[in-house]
Amino acid sequence: MKVLATFVKERRKAVNLTQEEFAERAGIALTVLRKIEQGKTNLNMDKVNVVLSMFGHELAPVKIQREKDL
């Protein structure tokens, strides 16, 4: 989650927005943005995707193959 936290924080700062301004523009609670930027692991993925969509990105499930499937 640190990669996500760093990405969001750096991109937000690059567009010169405070956490409060960014959260308002994204339509999410300030606490949600703070949790993302702090690298918390118990995040609502829909909210994460709202934030990422502001930068033209999204998270999607990744199918993991087990050894017996190989």
Side-chain angles (χ1 to χ4, degrees), residues 7-51:
F7 174 81
V8 171
K9 189 173 188 175
E10 287 177 356
R11 295 296 293 264
R12 175 184 57 77
K13 286 184 174 188
V15 294
N16 295 319
L17 292 174
T18 66
Q19 286 181 327
E20 293 85 358
E21 292 167 333
F22 186 86
E24 185 176 324
R25 289 188 186 191
I28 60 167
L30 177 58
T31 55
V32 170
L33 181 59
R34 286 184 175 158
K35 285 181 181 180
I36 292 170
E37 289 192 3
Q38 291 170 358
K40 302 291 183 183
T41 57
N42 59 336
L43 302 171
N44 177 310
M45 295 314 293
D46 290 334
K47 299 293 184 186
V48 170
N49 276 328
V50 167
V51 170

